[in-house]
Amino acid sequence: MTTQEILAAAVAAKSAMTGLTSKDKKEAILSMADSLMASSEEILYANRLDVKDSLGSMSEVLLDRLTLTAERISAMADSMRSVAQLADPVGQVLSETVLPNGLVVEKISVSLGVIGIIYESRPNVTSDAAVLAFKSGNVCVLRSGKEAYRTSYAIVTALRRGLTEFGLPETVINIIEDTTRSSANEMMAAKGYLDLLIPRGGKGLIRACVENAKVPCIETGTGICHIYIDGAADMEMALAIIDNAKTSRPSVCNACEVCLVDRKIAASFLPRLKAKLTEKREKAVELRLDDEAAKIIEGIPAGEEDFDTEFLDYILSISIVDGVEAAVRHISMHSTGHSEAIVTENDMAAEYFCKNVDSAAVYVNASTRFTDGGEFGLGCEVGISTQKLHARGPMGLSELTTYKYIVHGNGQIR
Amino acid sequence: MTTQEILAAAVAAKSAMTGLTSKDKKEAILSMADSLMASSEEILYANRLDVKDSLGSMSEVLLDRLTLTAERISAMADSMRSVAQLADPVGQVLSETVLPNGLVVEKISVSLGVIGIIYESRPNVTSDAAVLAFKSGNVCVLRSGKEAYRTSYAIVTALRRGLTEFGLPETVINIIEDTTRSSANEMMAAKGYLDLLIPRGGKGLIRACVENAKVPCIETGTGICHIYIDGAADMEMALAIIDNAKTSRPSVCNACEVCLVDRKIAASFLPRLKAKLTEKREKAVELRLDDEAAKIIEGIPAGEEDFDTEFLDYILSISIVDGVEAAVRHISMHSTGHSEAIVTENDMAAEYFCKNVDSAAVYVNASTRFTDGGEFGLGCEVGISTQKLHARGPMGLSELTTYKYIVHGNGQIR
């Protein structure tokens, strides 16, 4: 089917979602999870073809992300089953007001309609995104990266089998068949079809969506996260937090890219930081230092762009600043608005930092790695918004809904 | 000052807003209201110049909207004072969770930052928008229509006097000096400067913003509102509601443009509707009828476009439909998602309508004219959103805020 035909089928499927009760949705998700497990062989076969085609052209880390095993499929089904158990985000009465004229105004959460999601090659995104959209009452249109297309198609086929067994039209979950750039452009232009487009993936894709999309779009993911080590920090804690935020998983958006150090403690802290991040470890972190830090420890001189780059790698830029106000100024100029942390025992510095840093998540004495739907207790996430409208930070089920006002009267006129 | 300089000054003024308490904001608004009153003479003088220049080139209705009187200025000040009394939308704890690892995650409402508002020639929008932005902790950049520019500039000057008397920088409230199209384009492209752009005005402006803006933008206003008269309607009530929704103020977005009539009652209802809307009144409503309605009453044959036009005038399109399901289908194809109503005594029909009509406000047995921030009890409004992301329907103070997560720990790592 052409992209246009798939979009039209998705819009037509909306009415099938409107009639579903919370119980229906829960049971349909369990049916899809069963069907996913029953289709393991087909999915693994498709995945082997995808992996074979990418051998040699893809890094080891990415190949590992692309590769499925029986165990990973089972984890995907478990994740679906846990979403099935979450509270229904749709139909909640957000407020109810009786106006002086007797009108009863209810504000009720409702699904958005049709959600498009453009992503890359992690196969579990296919089942996660489909089930989150479904649980929140939305039809979804998925566009997988072409490296994972056969795998994603097999997963969607399995989910659709679960849908039809439950008596629902398969067009409630759709996958775009054209994996060239032109289908992404068609989705960005699909006004009247898509109520929301979520780009998950590289910076180029996200920028293209935000700048060109004619449909509502949410900017996700890019994280140039800062950790500021205040003069009043507990140094042991500071070292543990930076180590964790930088090296526990450098490839993700909530990893730390820049460390700002209060001048007051730079001379004592920096040598310890260098030792922690570079000595006696499997993979040393490359330190990129501003002029002042370079006077205290050895490292690579930082270029201007090093404070505006999401490395997603074992690289950390370090700058010395004059206290918390200067740290906030640096962050306001260089942050992508994702997650920033201060390490300090000084409550006033912590409060100033929290109040003045304009990011989705601001931490006191904790790692930036916690910015995540699962960690925040949302149950799951479909992405992390770095914009301020609609949703900010981890987007769970309720961020995939909107609301409407339902007003009951008995003839009121104005 | 150039538009670029004004935008830069607005961004620089953000920090002055961050430190304000609820009490500060309330007192500053009262100071601005006093200053507005004290500047009445200057404002009226500027307004006379604007009105003089528009004589002959502007319709009477629009000239009346442009014209200020001492009384209208006093009403503007009163409206500011009532906003001063509303609850502070910023700093509210929206949720607080303690995670199993001891992290305390607070979700707190915060201001957006800098809000741009492009509007036309109603002078009271200047003070309303400025005070709503201020109360929600935002810096604003206003761009008034050129017909009202001298008036708007005089109003902003008065408000700024109130700000500086209170010790705040005047750049917390800004007005763009260039009233050509190029300044609107600069605002749409002001990424990194504007956190939100709200276009209030004609369809062309709104469409240009939604399609071209590189900054987050909220679609407001266009209302092709439908009223469906069900077979089980109370006819007297139906007549009163349509009369009110069509003729009480035809120029506004929540006025009714299309009446859908259940075939079951068309033969008896339509003649009464025609009598009600066309006979014995100062201004008769022009009826544009589909083929079937035209067999029952006389009127102008409706063209296809008559069911997709926001008339904002004494014109009503009428179509006969087969029951509530057909009415919902018609609405889903032609509505702008603003406000729709059903008149019926049948609860099942009402419930079906409410569930399946995908608009910001859905009414049972009441006029669509109630879709309004003041009427809904929000205290005020900065526009009515017809999109689904971030805000839907009347936008009051809380719709001018976002949130951030503030996370307190004692060394947690992941």
Side-chain angles (χ1 to χ4, degrees):
Chain A
M1 282 168 87
T2 66
T3 301
Q4 197 55 43
E5 285 165 350
I6 292 167
L7 288 166
V11 171
K14 274 198 293 186
S15 59
M17 293 301 295
T18 318
L20 297 182
T21 64
S22 301
K23 187 162 165 282
D24 291 338
K25 287 193 287 190
K26 188 171 163 179
E27 287 172 4
I29 293 172
L30 295 177
S31 166
M32 287 191 270
D34 290 345
S35 175
L36 187 79
M37 289 304 290
S39 310
S40 291
E41 280 312 312
E42 280 166 63
I43 296 170
L44 287 172
Y45 178 75
N47 186 249
R48 276 194 295 274
L49 297 178
D50 278 337
V51 171
K52 204 176 123 200
D53 281 359
S54 289
L55 281 175
S57 63
M58 206 182 244
S59 76
E60 250 179 71
V61 177
L62 287 181
L63 264 183
D64 177 62
R65 278 167 67 157
L66 173 58
T67 305
L68 281 180
T69 59
E71 212 169 32
R72 286 183 175 184
I73 292 177
S74 176
M76 286 160 61
D78 285 347
S79 162
M80 292 176 68
R81 291 185 182 114
S82 69
V83 171
Q85 305 305 328
L86 294 173
D88 192 339
V90 162
Q92 293 188 13
V93 181
L94 305 174
S95 72
E96 184 173 341
T97 323
V98 182
L99 303 185
N101 61 10
L103 281 181
V104 180
V105 181
E106 285 179 306
K107 184 178 180 181
I108 304 218
S109 67
V110 297
S111 60
L112 283 162
V114 183
I115 298 181
I117 301 162
I118 303 182
Y119 54 104
E120 296 183 326
S121 57
R122 256 168 59 196
N124 67 306
V125 175
T126 303
S127 54
D128 281 355
V131 75
L132 290 170
F134 185 84
K135 178 83 182 184
S136 51
N138 296 292
V139 174
C140 70
V141 179
L142 308 171
R143 184 186 170 284
S144 151
K146 73 169 185 299
E147 297 76 11
Y149 176 71
R150 278 170 292 201
T151 310
S152 304
Y153 186 84
I155 294 168
V156 167
T157 303
L159 300 182
R160 286 180 147 192
R161 215 171 281 142
L163 283 173
T164 48
E165 272 165 26
F166 193 77
L168 281 168
E170 58 178 24
T171 46
V172 156
I173 296 176
N174 305 280
I175 183 163
I176 296 287
E177 296 172 17
D178 170 15
T179 55
T180 69
R181 184 174 292 259
S182 97
S183 68
N185 292 336
E186 277 181 84
M187 288 175 80
M188 293 179 210
K191 217 169 145 67
Y193 295 88
L194 294 183
D195 295 291
L196 171 62
L197 178 61
I198 304 176
R200 288 183 61 162
K203 223 161 61 173
L205 166 69
I206 292 168
R207 174 175 289 175
C209 280
V210 171
E211 299 206 339
N212 303 323
K214 308 279 188 239
V215 298
C217 172
I218 284 188
E219 193 166 353
T220 64
T222 313
I224 300 182
C225 302
H226 296 75
I227 296 180
Y228 164 63
I229 313 301
D230 186 51
D234 173 327
M235 286 210 203
E236 285 304 322
M237 188 194 286
L239 293 170
I241 287 175
I242 294 213
D243 185 13
N244 178 262
K246 180 68 260 180
T247 69
S248 62
R249 208 168 160 202
S251 67
V252 293
C253 59
N254 57 23
C256 172
E257 308 291 12
V258 180
C259 178
L260 304 172
V261 179
D262 192 343
R263 183 184 310 279
K264 284 201 280 295
I265 53 157
S268 57
F269 181 72
L270 284 178
R272 294 181 64 184
L273 182 65
K274 182 178 158 71
K276 179 90 177 176
L277 296 181
T278 63
E279 291 167 17
K280 287 188 256 168
R281 49 195 309 153
E282 215 179 302
K283 217 158 160 78
V285 175
E286 180 181 314
L287 305 181
R288 302 203 179 165
L289 311 172
D290 76 353
D291 291 349
E292 306 222 35
K295 288 178 195 155
I296 301 172
I297 53 171
E298 273 181 44
I300 296 173
E304 259 309 306
E305 72 287 358
D306 285 322
F307 292 101
D308 292 296
T309 302
E310 190 187 22
F311 298 116
L312 300 174
D313 204 345
Y314 289 86
I315 302 171
L316 181 70
S317 291
I318 299 178
S319 177
I320 291 180
V321 294
D322 279 314
V324 64
E325 293 185 29
V328 168
R329 272 199 306 278
H330 179 105
I331 290 169
S332 79
M333 288 170 63
H334 299 280
S335 165
T336 53
H338 192 298
S339 302
E340 334 287 343
I342 181 174
V343 184
T344 187
E345 298 297 309
N346 178 333
D347 289 347
M348 273 176 59
E351 199 186 319
Y352 181 87
F353 191 86
C354 289
K355 189 148 194 171
N356 289 283
V357 168
D358 189 19
S359 295
V362 186
Y363 293 85
V364 178
N365 295 335
S367 169
T368 54
R369 291 287 334 282
F370 289 104
T371 306
D372 172 275
E375 294 289 330
F376 271 21
L378 306 182
C380 55
E381 76 175 35
V382 71
I384 292 173
S385 164
T386 53
Q387 66 175 46
K388 295 184 189 175
L389 287 197
H390 188 69
R392 200 176 194 194
M395 294 179 66
L397 288 171
S398 68
E399 287 75 20
L400 295 181
T401 67
T402 179
Y403 54 84
K404 67 180 169 190
Y405 291 97
I406 295 182
V407 186
H408 279 86
N410 48 21
Q412 281 85 348
I413 58 175
R414 188 175 167 191
Chain B
M1 281 168 88
T2 66
T3 301
Q4 198 54 42
E5 286 165 349
I6 293 168
L7 288 167
V11 171
K14 274 198 293 186
S15 59
M17 293 302 294
T18 317
L20 296 181
T21 64
S22 301
K23 188 162 164 282
D24 291 339
K25 288 194 287 190
K26 187 171 164 180
E27 286 172 5
I29 293 171
L30 296 176
S31 166
M32 286 191 269
D34 290 345
S35 175
L36 186 81
M37 289 304 291
S39 311
S40 291
E41 279 312 313
E42 281 166 62
I43 296 169
L44 287 172
Y45 178 75
N47 187 249
R48 276 194 295 274
L49 297 178
D50 278 337
V51 170
K52 205 175 122 201
D53 281 0
S54 289
L55 281 174
S57 62
M58 207 183 246
S59 77
E60 249 178 71
V61 177
L62 287 182
L63 263 183
D64 178 62
R65 277 167 67 158
L66 173 58
T67 305
L68 281 180
T69 60
E71 214 169 30
R72 285 181 175 185
I73 292 177
S74 176
M76 285 160 60
D78 286 347
S79 162
M80 292 176 66
R81 291 186 183 113
S82 70
V83 171
Q85 306 304 328
L86 294 174
D88 191 339
V90 162
Q92 292 188 13
V93 181
L94 305 174
S95 73
E96 184 174 338
T97 324
V98 182
L99 304 185
N101 62 10
L103 281 180
V104 180
V105 181
E106 286 178 307
K107 185 179 180 182
I108 304 218
S109 67
V110 297
S111 59
L112 283 162
V114 182
I115 298 180
I117 302 160
I118 303 181
Y119 54 104
E120 296 183 325
S121 56
R122 257 168 59 196
N124 67 307
V125 175
T126 303
S127 55
D128 281 356
V131 76
L132 290 171
F134 185 85
K135 178 84 182 183
S136 50
N138 296 292
V139 174
C140 70
V141 179
L142 307 171
R143 184 185 170 285
S144 151
K146 72 169 185 299
E147 298 76 11
Y149 176 72
R150 279 169 291 201
T151 311
S152 304
Y153 186 85
I155 293 169
V156 166
T157 303
L159 300 182
R160 285 179 146 192
R161 214 172 281 142
L163 283 173
T164 49
E165 273 165 25
F166 193 76
L168 280 169
E170 59 177 23
T171 44
V172 156
I173 296 175
N174 304 280
I175 183 164
I176 296 287
E177 296 172 17
D178 169 15
T179 55
T180 68
R181 184 174 292 257
S182 96
S183 68
N185 291 337
E186 278 181 82
M187 289 175 79
M188 293 179 210
K191 216 168 146 66
Y193 295 89
L194 294 182
D195 295 291
L196 172 63
L197 178 61
I198 304 176
R200 289 184 60 161
K203 224 161 58 172
L205 167 69
I206 292 167
R207 174 174 289 175
C209 279
V210 170
E211 298 206 340
N212 304 323
K214 308 278 187 239
V215 298
C217 172
I218 284 189
E219 194 165 354
T220 65
T222 313
I224 300 181
C225 302
H226 296 75
I227 296 181
Y228 165 62
I229 312 300
D230 186 51
D234 174 328
M235 285 210 204
E236 285 303 323
M237 188 195 285
L239 292 170
I241 286 175
I242 293 214
D243 185 12
N244 177 264
K246 179 70 260 179
T247 69
S248 61
R249 207 167 163 205
S251 67
V252 293
C253 59
N254 56 23
C256 172
E257 307 291 11
V258 179
C259 177
L260 304 172
V261 179
D262 192 344
R263 183 184 309 279
K264 285 201 279 296
I265 53 156
S268 57
F269 181 72
L270 284 177
R272 294 181 64 184
L273 181 65
K274 182 179 159 69
K276 178 89 176 177
L277 295 181
T278 63
E279 289 167 18
K280 288 188 256 168
R281 49 195 309 153
E282 214 179 299
K283 215 155 163 81
V285 176
E286 180 181 312
L287 305 180
R288 302 203 179 165
L289 311 173
D290 76 354
D291 291 349
E292 307 222 35
K295 288 177 193 154
I296 303 172
I297 54 172
E298 273 181 43
I300 296 173
E304 259 309 305
E305 72 287 357
D306 284 322
F307 293 101
D308 293 295
T309 302
E310 190 185 23
F311 298 117
L312 300 173
D313 204 345
Y314 289 85
I315 302 172
L316 181 70
S317 291
I318 299 178
S319 177
I320 292 179
V321 294
D322 278 315
V324 65
E325 293 185 30
V328 168
R329 273 199 304 278
H330 179 106
I331 290 169
S332 78
M333 287 171 63
H334 299 280
S335 165
T336 54
H338 192 297
S339 303
E340 334 288 342
I342 181 174
V343 184
T344 187
E345 299 296 309
N346 177 334
D347 289 347
M348 271 176 59
E351 199 187 318
Y352 181 88
F353 191 85
C354 289
K355 190 149 195 171
N356 290 283
V357 168
D358 189 19
S359 295
V362 186
Y363 293 85
V364 178
N365 295 334
S367 169
T368 53
R369 290 287 333 283
F370 288 105
T371 306
D372 173 274
E375 294 289 330
F376 271 21
L378 306 183
C380 55
E381 76 174 36
V382 72
I384 292 173
S385 163
T386 53
Q387 66 175 48
K388 295 184 188 174
L389 288 198
H390 188 71
R392 201 176 194 194
M395 293 179 66
L397 287 172
S398 67
E399 287 75 19
L400 296 181
T401 67
T402 179
Y403 55 82
K404 67 179 170 191
Y405 290 97
I406 295 182
V407 186
H408 279 86
N410 49 20
Q412 281 84 349
I413 58 176
R414 189 175 167 191

